[in-house]
């Protein structure tokens, strides 16, 4: 994967999660390790983030409200609208609260919808929305944040209909988000971290999924090695065999059969690295990069003593997955004919038209049987250089490029007791 694509994907992930959690700018100024995430705020970037943090450090005063980004630090209006919903002002300290404190700055609610949040708080508490009392909205917010459960009784659908009557688009989702945020201010909504299972890690590394790669799938693979079991010094079942015709002794593990004396076989065992060991199967590499193993018993339906007699290095073979070892990033395979012909375990799509498939299958069988029925001759087994199992038209086409005097012997329509000779004159 290209480095540019990796960086772009990582940046997108950081932007999503940083804005989902929110950023405390005052905390970022006081703690250098935290300041790195400011660049991922919506509307920001490395340069804007660095410039803002430097201004805040030089001012020596904490950011008391979101509006201060514009009035004190002169952030542009477009940048402010993009980032302000994700900047949280910590009001948990007593010295940070005063009569001008905007309580909604400690939520994900955007300043453009502060009026709706205040209206919801007033309605939930049944306060009288009197313009003469300038503190009623502030008191309503303070009270509703202490007892947010009262917000659940609000009819937000009626509120959305009223907003539509005033010319706003459908704001139902926004109103529900405002209510949730008033109930749970800046709650971390990320799912708890769960380490990947062996199965999840396997499919991520192989770029496969549980539907495309599972037990029963037929795959193509390349043989890259013969798997052998090294002999041990205390092998109890080592019984060398002697070929009566040649008089040579054979190693029962690596099957080497050119030892003139029995003592040479024991030296063959004792010498380190001399005997490669018993062949127990072949190791293969699948097209998707996964390693596979085919045991000797799974190479063929007939008995195989030595895998090298049937399979060669770099040979392309077709096999079926019989077991997946997720933790070892490998699979066990079988290339026995009985396993390959046992059918695939791939599930058909929910919209698969079984009736249409059966109809097509019957039509193909009928066409095949009709073709066999209309055949004008019966295939004959005759060993002759001029004999061919072909029709007259095929024979005429074949003789077009042949020399004059060439002839073809072919089956006759009269039966198996006759033959037809076609001669080019």
């Amino acid at each position: 994967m290209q480095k540019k694509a990796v960086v772009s994907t990582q940046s997108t992930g950081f932007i999503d999660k940083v804005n989902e959690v929110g950023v405390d700018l005052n905390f970022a100024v006081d703690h250098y390790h935290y300041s790195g995430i400011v660049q991922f705020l919506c509307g920001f970037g490395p340069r804007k983030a660095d410039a803002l943090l430097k201004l805040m450090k030089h001012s020596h005063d904490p950011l008391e409200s979101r509006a201060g980004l514009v009035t004190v630090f002169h952030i542009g209006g477009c940048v402010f609208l993009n980032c302000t919903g994700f900047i949280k002002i910590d009001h948990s300290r007593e010295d940070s609260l005063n009569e001008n404190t905007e309580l909604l700055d400690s939520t994900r609610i955007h300043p453009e919808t502060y009026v709706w949040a205040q209206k919801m708080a007033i309605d939930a508490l049944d306060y009288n929305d009197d313009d003469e009392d300038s503190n009623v909205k502030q008191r309503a917010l303070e009270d509703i944040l202490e007892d947010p459960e009262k917000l659940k009784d609000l009819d937000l659908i009626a509120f959305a209909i009223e907003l539509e009557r005033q010319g706003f688009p459908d704001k139902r989702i926004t109103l529900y988000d405002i209510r949730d945020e008033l109930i749970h201010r800046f709650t971390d909504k990320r799912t708890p971290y769960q380490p990947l299972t062996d199965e999840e890690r396997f499919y991520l590394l192989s770029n496969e999924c549980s539907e495309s790669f599972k037990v029963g799938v037929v795959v193509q693979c390349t043989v890259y090695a013969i798997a052998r079991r090294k002999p041990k010094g205390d092998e109890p079942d080592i019984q060398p065999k002697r070929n009566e015709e040649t008089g040579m002794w054979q190693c029962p593990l690596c099957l080497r059969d050119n030892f003139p004396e029995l003592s040479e076989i024991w030296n063959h065992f004792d010498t380190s690295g001399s005997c490669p060991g018993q062949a127990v199967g072949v190791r293969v590499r699948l097209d998707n990069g996964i390693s596979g193993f085919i045991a000797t018993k799974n190479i063929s339906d007939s008995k195989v003593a030595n895998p090298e007699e049937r399979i060669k290095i770099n040979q392309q073979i077709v096999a079926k997955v019989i077991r997946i070892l997720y933790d070892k990033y490998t699979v066990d395979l079988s290339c026995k004919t009985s396993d390959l012909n046992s059918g695939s375990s791939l599930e058909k799509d929910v919209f698969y038209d079984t009736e249409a498939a059966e109809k097509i299958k019957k039509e193909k069988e009928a066409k095949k049987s009709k073709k066999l029925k209309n055949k004008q001759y019966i295939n004959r087994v005759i060993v002759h250089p001029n004999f061919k199992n072909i029709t007259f038209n095929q024979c005429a086409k074949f003789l077009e490029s042949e020399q004059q005097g060439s002839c073809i012997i072919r089956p006759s329509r009269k039966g198996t007791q006759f033959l037809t000779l076609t001669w080019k004159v």
Side-chain angles (χ1 to χ4, degrees):
M1 185 180 292
Q2 296 181 356
K3 182 179 179 180
K4 185 177 180 180
V6 174
V7 172
S8 176
T9 303
Q10 289 177 338
S11 298
T12 302
F14 278 119
I15 291 170
D16 290 342
K17 295 305 176 184
V18 166
N19 289 280
E20 182 180 345
V21 175
V23 176
D24 187 341
L25 290 178
N26 293 322
F27 189 84
V29 171
D30 297 334
H31 301 82
Y32 177 77
H33 74 277
Y34 184 82
S35 62
I37 68 173
V38 178
Q39 62 181 306
F40 298 108
L41 273 171
C42 288
F44 275 72
R47 288 185 295 177
K48 290 188 180 72
D50 187 57
L52 177 61
L53 292 174
K54 285 181 179 179
L55 285 174
M56 294 182 66
K57 287 180 181 178
H58 292 158
S59 68
H60 302 291
D61 292 325
L63 181 66
E64 296 181 352
S65 66
R66 288 172 172 173
L69 290 171
V70 177
T71 60
V72 179
F73 300 107
H74 308 291
I75 292 295
C78 184
V79 176
F80 175 76
L81 290 176
N82 286 332
C83 72
T84 185
F86 310 108
I87 294 176
K88 54 184 177 181
I89 308 298
D90 187 7
H91 291 153
S92 60
R93 297 176 302 171
E94 295 183 0
D95 58 347
S96 65
L97 295 175
N98 54 60
E99 58 182 7
N100 296 323
T101 299
E102 178 56 73
L103 295 177
L104 294 177
D105 284 348
S106 62
T107 68
R108 291 185 179 91
I109 301 172
H110 197 278
E112 290 181 332
T113 58
Y114 278 1
V115 176
W116 299 345
Q118 294 165 354
K119 177 64 175 174
M120 291 169 62
I122 292 172
D123 291 346
L125 296 171
D126 293 329
Y127 284 1
N128 184 17
D129 188 5
D130 189 357
D131 293 338
E132 296 179 0
D133 188 356
S134 59
N135 295 325
V136 64
K137 297 178 181 179
Q138 186 77 359
R139 287 192 295 105
L141 287 174
E142 292 176 359
D143 294 342
I144 203 63
L145 291 176
E146 293 180 0
D147 187 15
E149 294 297 322
K150 293 182 178 180
L151 291 166
K152 296 181 179 180
D153 297 331
L154 288 177
D155 187 356
L156 298 183
I157 296 178
F159 194 176
I161 294 173
E162 175 62 23
L163 292 176
E164 288 183 18
R165 190 183 64 81
Q166 296 176 14
F168 291 96
D170 188 358
K171 292 292 183 179
R172 298 184 189 187
I173 296 177
T174 302
L175 294 176
Y176 280 109
D177 287 342
I178 291 174
R179 184 179 68 177
D180 292 342
E181 189 61 26
L182 289 173
I183 296 174
H184 306 288
R185 288 183 290 175
F186 266 110
T187 301
D188 192 346
K189 298 180 180 180
R190 293 176 296 175
T191 55
Y193 171 75
Q194 294 289 339
L196 291 175
T197 62
D198 292 335
E199 182 176 354
E200 291 171 338
R201 188 182 299 106
F202 176 88
Y203 286 121
L204 282 175
L205 293 174
S206 63
N207 200 25
E208 297 280 0
C209 67
S210 57
E211 293 299 323
S212 64
F213 193 84
K214 59 183 178 181
V215 174
V217 173
V218 177
V219 295
Q220 187 171 359
C221 48
T222 304
V223 179
Y224 71 87
I226 303 296
R228 297 182 179 276
R229 183 174 62 86
K230 292 288 185 179
K232 298 179 181 179
D234 54 347
E235 287 279 358
D237 299 328
I238 293 180
Q239 296 293 335
K241 297 180 180 179
R242 186 172 184 271
N243 190 326
E244 298 297 338
E245 296 180 0
T246 62
M248 296 292 183
W249 290 86
Q250 183 185 46
C251 173
L253 297 180
C254 65
L255 303 182
R256 179 181 165 187
D257 58 357
N258 58 351
F259 296 98
E261 300 294 337
L262 180 61
S263 59
E264 294 187 14
I265 291 186
W266 301 120
N267 293 333
H268 173 66
F269 290 143
D270 297 336
T271 304
S272 177
S274 178
C275 181
Q278 182 181 7
V280 295
V282 294
R283 300 198 181 279
V284 298
R285 183 84 61 192
L286 279 63
D287 291 340
N288 55 15
I290 300 174
S291 299
F293 174 73
I294 305 177
T296 303
K297 63 179 181 180
N298 292 325
I299 292 178
S300 175
D301 289 318
S302 58
K303 186 177 180 180
V304 178
N306 186 4
E308 293 178 295
E309 297 175 356
R310 296 292 190 94
I311 297 176
K312 304 300 181 183
I313 302 297
N314 295 326
Q315 180 179 343
Q316 296 278 341
I317 59 176
V318 177
K320 176 178 283 190
V321 179
I322 58 176
R323 185 172 64 155
I324 302 177
L325 303 174
Y326 296 109
D327 56 334
K328 297 181 179 179
Y329 197 70
T330 185
V331 294
D332 287 343
L333 304 165
S334 172
C335 56
K336 294 195 296 186
T337 304
S338 58
D339 289 337
L340 294 174
N341 294 335
S342 62
S344 174
S345 64
L346 291 176
E347 298 178 0
K348 293 183 174 62
D349 189 87
V350 292
F351 300 105
Y352 182 80
D353 194 339
T354 306
E355 294 182 1
E358 290 294 331
K359 183 179 179 181
I360 293 173
K361 184 178 178 181
K362 290 180 180 179
E363 289 177 354
K364 288 182 178 179
E365 291 176 352
K367 190 180 293 184
K368 186 177 180 181
S369 61
K370 184 178 180 181
K371 186 177 180 181
L372 293 174
K373 186 176 181 181
N374 295 334
K375 200 171 183 180
Q376 297 178 351
Y377 64 88
I378 299 174
N379 286 342
R380 305 285 296 278
V381 181
I382 298 177
V383 181
H384 191 278
N386 290 347
F387 179 81
K388 295 182 181 298
N389 282 304
I390 55 178
T391 62
F392 172 76
N393 293 331
Q394 294 171 335
C395 179
K397 187 175 181 180
F398 176 80
L399 290 174
E400 286 179 357
S401 59
E402 298 296 320
Q403 296 181 357
Q404 195 172 14
S406 300
C407 64
I408 292 293
I409 304 172
R410 57 188 179 83
S412 174
R413 291 182 297 175
K414 294 181 180 181
T416 57
Q417 297 179 353
F418 299 88
L419 291 173
T420 299
L421 175 67
T422 303
W423 189 10
K424 182 177 181 180
V425 295

